[in-house]
Amino acid sequence: MSVRQPGLAKVYEALLGFDGDEFYMEEWPEMVGKEFGELVHLFPDAVPIGLQMADGEVILKPSWDTEIQEGDKVIVIAQDNDSYRPQELDCDDVGEAPEEDSVPEKQEKILLCGWRRDIRDVLEQLDKIVQHGSEVHMMTHCVPIAERGQRLLEDGLDIRKLRNLEVIHHFGNTSVRRKLASLPIESYSAAMIFADEAFESDTLRADSHSLATLLLIRDLQRQRFTEKRSRICNNESEGTVVSRGYSNSLLDELQSIGMAYCPMICEIMDPHTQKTIANNEQLSLTSDFCQTNKLIAQVLAMVAEERTVNLLFEELLGGGGVNIAVVPSSRYAAQGECISFSALMKRAMAFNELLFAFQLRKSVERTVLNPPKKDKSFVWDKYDFAILRGDVKQEQRLTMRKSTANMLLAMSHRDEKLEERSLRQQAAWAASVEAKGTHQPVGLVQSWLTSLAATSSLLQPGERQQLGVGLLRLGKALLQLGAD
């Protein structure tokens, strides 16, 4: 996801770990009866992002009209668990948001350099979020092209069954310029550079290989951009020349090339490499960087301290449901408009989005989570916003919960009917079933289990436990029937 949205990696880096603002959950009795949409402006020193229901279910960005019930906990991003309390937040006149520009979704061409052991997960995730007809070009010298399909198949992925992606393989060492030069570098809409598994035992060598690949790709993009510009400028039929010797058609074509706007993300393994990048602003701005070892350790530490946080990560890091996105400030604020963060939060709600952070565009500065002084007006032209959007998974979960309730009700009725039968009726019924060669209850349970297995990821722990109890009750009844 980060490679398709420049700046998203910085948001995750700010969210994960214990440095700065974190996730907190607390019950506020005075909030009972209020709608979630009201909470967004009742916490000046925090940003409410979801609810933990009384039964343990976690819902991020619930619908604005979701009513807070007794026992529900409010999930916020805050500096500390004692740094915030509910109180009215002063807010400017919200005004009107700029008209939304409808940008048609396009097919993508993504470059993947290197081979990870979990490359299957990367391809599966990309297949969920790109448009049909998109391409992934994979280049590495560690795995021969003839073996890649089989290795992916052994990991559980048949690339022929990908719905939206076509995988195109290339062989070569990505730190060698002539190998990269054979690729259509100018046509890629995004690029991902992985720490190749061939160097996994030597993190510094892996990082050196990744950085060399990054700098070579950027240099090739710059070279081909210059060549393309020269060709167009020398073509007298391209239109009227404007300032700097460029024509209108030239500017349009340069923008359509995508070379100068190709987002990239580079995996870093060693913390010393990360420090070197952080101290070199020019290198920092060539790509987003992700220190995967650190992120994994931070996630594990957060889950170890508070197990419920794992449910948040399942939602945020998944392909569907609620997810984090980075959008330009122009989505909510007009050029040069002076407006407060709290007013922008209200405008975001009109888009069914939840605004919780901002960051300076094309900068090495950290993402600002839960901004202080949300009522202070500011001009946001140079900033991007981090938001929560999407709620597909919630709708699926609601449907599944209704289905689960119906299954439990059916089981309860079956259980009651079995209990009401006399021993004679049970024996007669069992004899009839045996004579017909059918096993209705067993078949019914198998059907329910199959349905549950297909959608188990949508169930919360409390729901799975409830369904399990229902199955045990039915099982006991079946055992009693068999004994009789």
Side-chain angles (χ1 to χ4, degrees), residues 416-437:
E416 291 172 2
K417 290 179 180 179
L418 289 172
E419 291 175 355
E420 290 173 359
R421 293 177 186 271
S422 66
L423 292 177
R424 183 178 300 174
Q425 288 174 318
Q426 290 182 18
W429 180 70
S432 174
V433 170
E434 184 177 0
K436 293 179 181 179

Side-chain angles (χ1 to χ4, degrees), residues 1-46:
M1 294 184 287
S2 295
V3 70
R4 302 172 72 248
Q5 298 185 55
L8 184 57
K10 289 203 304 180
V11 178
Y12 280 115
E13 183 181 359
L15 275 174
L16 301 179
F18 304 99
D19 184 18
D21 292 73
E22 306 171 40
F23 299 112
Y24 293 98
M25 308 178 192
E26 188 166 345
E27 182 179 352
W28 300 96
E30 59 267 44
M31 296 292 104
V32 174
K34 293 185 179 295
E35 295 182 348
F36 181 78
E38 300 178 61
L39 302 189
V40 175
H41 300 287
L42 291 178
F43 289 90
D45 300 311

